[in-house]
Amino acid sequence: MKSSRLIFTCVGIVSALVCCCYFSAGTMQHAAVASDTITVQVDRPGAAIPKTMFGLFFEDINFAADGGLYPERVKNRSFEFPDPMMGWRQLKREGAQGAIYIINQEPVNDANRRFLRIAVEANGQGFGVMNEGFRGMGVQRDEDYTFSVFARRAEGAPTGLRVELEDADGHTLGNTTVTGLTPEWQQYKANIRATATSGKAHLNLLAAGRGALDVDVISLYPKDTYKQRPNGLRADLVQLLKDMQPGFIRFPGGCIVEGRTLEQRYQWKTTIGAPSGRRLIVNRWNTEFRHRLTPDYYQSFGLGFYEYFLLAEDIGAEPLPILNCGMACQFNSGELASLHNIDHYIQDALDLIAFANDPANTFWGKKRAAMGHPAPFHLKMIGVGNEQWGPQYIERYKAFAQVLKQRHPEIALISSAGPSPNDERFNYLWGQMRRLHADIVDEHYYMEPKWFRDNVGRYDNYPRTGPKVFAGEYAAQSVGIASPDNRNNWECALSEAAFMTGLERNADVVVMASYAPLFAHVDAWQWTPNMIWFDNLRAYGTPNYYVQKLFSVNKGTNILPVLLNGMSKNGQDDLFASAVFDARTQEVILKVVNTAQTAKHVTVSLAGAGQLGHAGQVFVLTAPNLKAENSLDDPQKVAPAEQALAVSASSFAYTFAPDSLTVVRIGKTNR
Ligand code: AHR
């Protein structure tokens, strides 16, 4: 970009530090003497900020998919969990006689071998089954829910099903009936409008008439999904993501890509097509932590690769699928696919590119079109393995890269730097990746808050040539990695903000970054901290969410060099700062993190910008104390506050609040 585009139209008094007022918590006050200086070199724009700079890491952990983003209300809807009745129980009301059976013959389809038979001898007050949902079912008053079921008449003359939605106390929230069963499997659908709101509802299915009937793929699905799509995603969660304007979304993990064993790895081909035909597998997080065992955690793949691509498109993010590279999780079995057998895995990658990008009249393009998306998804990058390490990874990465680079030079490959930010595994992998001319290397850091503040200069001296960096998984751990006592508190978020100024300053090397993990159900999580928490009805962004959002929506188009007290070193006197120019809006955007417990009176100079003479905007994110957190009941306790800022000269005084992240936007438009 040419520097002339950065010259503001208002010609002003260059660097006239005469400003006598500042805003603090929305109040104009007399300024104390400024002791620190921040100089933004507006006339020295640097590298372009990649559009992918700040994005999302989605993993099906903490009930992020089933029970979360995928809003099916019925758990174990097809009786395919190893314990086929998990989530279900028999209902036998007064005077009723009958039995229930799990049968695995003549299934609805091959991926879905089992179904439930309800055999009734006497109906009495009702005989059938109840589903408990995912820690209950969330239903909103006056909202519509589609009940659907595959059913058939098995013996005798059952007339159909009575379907009841009840709250935790057994009060009716709505009901419907299914009639006209035949001896053949057929799908039946009916609408239930909820008469009241409940986060802990459940669903009853009661047979009507005597005899036996078979049921499978039993679903209660909200009509109000994102974009009102059938099999669509939970609207409030998608909106939280979209509001961040993410540059990319990585999916579906994380360790679930690897699986505890290769048999349990994520295989994208089994996650497309009709949802009823997607074969369920265990979720790797089901048994991972003894202290957070989650026996009912499986992957129905109702949210599969097609839905992930659609989600990426909906929120304006580049899709980044991560594929298994022939290695099961090295924290578990570490099972390896033989190198002689690796073609199968590479073929999955080739086919995925075809599924995403080929025209609608091709083999894979047809499958995508049949699901509702004839246009390509414009896939530009793929991850080869998740958090792998060792020579075994390098061998497998090489095999992938050899084929993919030859067949698809347009696709960037993401490779692993292992699970730690600076151990032997990390150094070995980076050495290899440089030698192999890898595209983008994925670094992970789950470290204490102080590490983030201390490592703000991590990328200042990374080589400017060779592979780029994807800061693919990071989050400050208030207690320690994988501790169930970690909190999404303000100290963690503020430390991440400080670190992110270092990412932004180095956007020529770090081309993508994402906080991890993304989602957690408050009643069903395995891992903490997480960016967004939810229950069956509500969701909230943590302080970490607002930090991510502030950086992402203010990412600009070009790096601007920043001097702190005349030096390029970031992180002095508890101050951290980075700046960008946004060529689209002609604004300078300055981000300042003050980790001191006192306010900082700072002279800010926009060198080379001239006098501005235009209203600016300031977003201040701070908290009552470092332990402060958001919650379902107090979701905005730590949330950005917007203030106006009148800047009349290219140098001005500003007081940065204690323990705060401040984003200052100054442009030539009257915003
Ligand atoms: O984010 C949780 C886990 O941390 C991811 O699945 C894995 O990649 C990392 O070890």
Side-chain angles (χ1 to χ4, degrees):
M1 188 173 71
K2 290 206 174 72
S3 59
S4 59
R5 290 183 65 192
L6 295 181
I7 306 301
F8 291 86
T9 48
C10 285
V11 180
I13 309 158
V14 176
S15 296
L17 176 53
V18 290
C19 204
C20 61
C21 50
Y22 67 92
F23 287 87
S24 175
T27 320
M28 192 180 280
Q29 301 173 16
H30 289 291
V33 177
S35 52
D36 288 289
T37 63
I38 292 177
T39 307
V40 182
Q41 298 184 298
V42 179
D43 52 355
R44 293 188 49 204
I49 311 269
K51 288 203 177 76
T52 50
M53 185 68 201
F54 299 110
L56 301 170
F57 164 91
F58 179 92
E59 174 163 21
D60 187 3
I61 184 172
N62 305 316
F63 278 39
D66 290 335
L69 195 54
Y70 185 65
E72 171 63 81
R73 299 306 200 248
V74 177
K75 182 169 71 185
N76 191 12
R77 65 184 172 189
S78 297
F79 309 98
E80 299 298 319
F81 285 16
D83 170 357
M85 286 303 287
M86 190 177 264
W88 296 93
R89 71 180 168 78
Q90 181 179 289
L91 267 187
K92 193 173 176 183
R93 290 183 179 155
E94 205 182 324
Q97 284 294 338
I100 53 174
Y101 307 98
I102 293 291
I103 301 179
N104 70 355
Q105 288 168 345
E106 302 167 358
V108 168
N109 61 52
D110 280 348
N112 186 351
R113 307 282 317 165
R114 295 183 183 141
F115 59 86
L116 179 79
R117 174 158 298 171
I118 306 175
V120 186
E121 281 172 33
N123 287 105
Q125 300 295 307
F127 183 82
V129 287
M130 181 272 258
N131 187 275
E132 66 188 21
F134 295 88
R135 308 295 191 274
M137 297 177 179
V139 291
Q140 303 270 7
R141 185 185 165 162
D142 294 334
E143 293 286 333
D144 288 325
Y145 297 84
T146 304
F147 170 79
S148 65
V149 61
F150 281 82
R152 66 180 180 182
R153 202 170 65 219
E155 285 166 23
T159 51
L161 280 170
R162 177 175 165 79
V163 184
E164 303 171 343
L165 188 58
E166 287 182 341
D167 71 12
D169 300 322
H171 299 126
T172 301
L173 300 172
N175 56 59
T176 187
T177 52
V178 170
T179 54
L181 302 188
T182 71
E184 307 304 325
W185 283 116
Q186 274 189 57
Q187 193 182 32
Y188 298 84
K189 288 189 179 176
N191 189 63
I192 300 180
R193 177 164 298 177
T195 54
T197 295
S198 169
K200 297 282 178 192
H202 57 262
L203 190 74
N204 301 333
L205 264 68
L206 301 163
R210 282 180 57 186
L213 57 86
D214 297 337
V215 288
D216 201 358
V217 200
I218 299 161
S219 169
L220 186 72
Y221 213 90
K223 282 249 167 68
D224 184 25
T225 58
Y226 192 75
K227 294 202 170 172
Q228 314 293 312
R229 286 200 188 100
N231 204 53
L233 303 183
R234 187 170 146 175
D236 60 335
L237 297 183
V238 177
Q239 194 58 51
L240 279 165
L241 303 185
K242 192 175 169 110
D243 290 347
M244 294 176 72
Q245 299 173 19
F248 65 91
I249 179 165
R250 163 183 172 162
F251 57 87
C255 291
I256 66 154
V257 171
E258 308 163 48
R260 299 181 76 83
T261 61
L262 282 176
E263 203 189 334
Q264 293 169 0
R265 73 190 188 277
Y266 196 103
Q267 299 187 58
W268 75 267
K269 286 175 183 164
T270 66
T271 75
I272 60 166
S276 63
R278 302 179 189 178
R279 187 157 4 94
L280 172 135
I281 64 169
V282 68
N283 187 299
R284 184 251 185 209
W285 297 102
N286 181 315
T287 49
E288 184 61 17
F289 296 130
R290 274 173 201 277
H291 54 272
R292 298 293 303 177
L293 289 176
T294 321
D296 56 342
Y297 202 0
Y298 288 82
Q299 301 178 76
S300 75
F301 299 119
L303 167 54
F305 259 40
Y306 175 78
E307 289 78 17
Y308 282 123
F309 278 114
L310 221 48
L311 171 65
E313 188 173 86
D314 284 344
I315 61 178
E318 293 291 344
L320 169 51
I322 306 288
L323 297 183
N324 188 297
C325 65
M327 299 179 81
C329 184
Q330 288 160 283
F331 290 113
N332 302 142
S333 72
E335 215 182 335
L336 297 173
S338 137
L339 279 174
H340 303 298
N341 208 3
I342 204 76
D343 290 358
H344 173 75
Y345 291 78
I346 297 173
Q347 192 60 46
D348 271 359
L350 293 170
D351 292 342
L352 180 63
I353 298 168
F355 175 71
N357 291 352
D358 278 4
N361 58 359
T362 59
F363 179 81
W364 284 106
K366 265 187 202 149
K367 289 190 188 286
R368 183 189 67 239
M371 292 186 74
H373 203 285
F377 282 122
H378 306 295
L379 177 66
K380 300 187 185 80
M381 49 193 170
I382 280 189
V384 180
N386 174 44
E387 199 179 55
Q388 325 308 150
W389 65 81
Q392 298 78 11
Y393 176 59
I394 296 300
E395 288 167 339
R396 283 158 186 77
Y397 171 79
K398 271 190 200 162
F400 268 75
Q402 198 179 16
V403 177
L404 290 175
K405 281 294 160 197
Q406 197 235 327
R407 299 271 299 273
H408 288 287
E410 77 283 6
I411 301 285
L413 299 184
I414 313 288
S415 51
S416 169
S420 145
N422 48 14
D423 61 1
E424 263 178 41
R425 296 171 292 197
F426 178 91
N427 294 334
Y428 167 77
L429 288 167
W430 256 109
Q432 294 290 323
M433 288 306 164
R434 286 203 188 286
R435 231 162 283 145
L436 293 169
H437 305 291
D439 296 327
I440 303 174
V441 179
D442 178 11
E443 299 189 354
H444 295 179
Y445 15 89
Y446 294 101
M447 306 298 278
E448 71 273 19
K450 185 173 179 303
W451 183 92
F452 285 86
R453 303 193 297 271
D454 290 348
N455 282 272
V456 65
R458 178 178 174 88
Y459 296 108
D460 291 352
N461 298 315
Y462 261 49
R464 266 36 208 176
T465 55
K468 303 288 185 194
V469 174
F470 171 26
E473 293 184 33
Y474 66 90
Q477 313 286 298
S478 64
V479 177
I481 184 162
S483 167
D485 299 323
N486 285 329
R487 308 299 308 181
N488 280 102
N489 65 30
W490 178 230
E491 184 189 4
C492 290
L494 188 65
S495 305
E496 290 151 9
F499 183 75
M500 289 172 80
T501 62
L503 298 182
E504 192 168 83
R505 281 175 178 235
N506 289 284
D508 56 328
V509 171
V510 184
V511 293
M512 302 163 78
S514 45
Y515 182 95
L518 180 54
F519 284 125
H521 191 302
V522 293
D523 296 328
W525 56 273
Q526 297 78 46
W527 179 289
T528 183
N530 303 287
M531 195 160 79
I532 294 169
W533 290 81
F534 60 87
D535 67 6
N536 288 339
L537 293 172
R538 299 171 295 170
Y540 71 91
T542 58
N544 317 71
Y545 169 86
Y546 288 111
V547 165
Q548 293 293 320
K549 184 175 168 185
L550 278 175
F551 273 84
S552 186
V553 303
N554 292 295
K555 71 172 169 280
T557 54
N558 287 81
I559 305 173
L560 292 177
V562 175
L563 304 177
L564 258 171
N565 299 321
M567 290 173 280
S568 58
K569 183 182 178 321
N570 197 4
Q572 300 174 40
D573 194 23
D574 297 319
L575 282 173
F576 303 80
S578 59
V580 296
F581 181 72
D582 193 329
R584 295 159 302 200
T585 58
Q586 294 287 298
E587 285 170 296
V588 172
I589 308 173
L590 170 65
K591 298 172 187 97
V592 178
V593 175
N594 175 17
T595 58
Q597 282 168 19
T598 51
K600 292 278 182 186
H601 311 296
V602 176
T603 302
V604 178
S605 299
L606 306 181
Q611 184 176 344
L612 305 174
H614 297 283
Q617 261 178 317
V618 181
F619 301 91
V620 180
L621 184 60
T622 185
N625 58 65
L626 289 173
K627 297 276 173 261
E629 297 177 28
N630 290 338
S631 65
L632 287 170
D633 292 328
D634 198 354
Q636 299 273 314
K637 186 174 185 172
V638 184
E642 187 179 344
Q643 300 164 6
L645 173 74
V647 178
S648 56
S650 57
S651 195
F652 58 95
Y654 190 88
T655 295
F656 293 95
D659 292 327
S660 64
L661 161 63
T662 304
V663 179
V664 183
R665 296 185 71 115
I666 302 169
K668 65 177 185 176
T669 53
N670 286 325
R671 289 163 56 96

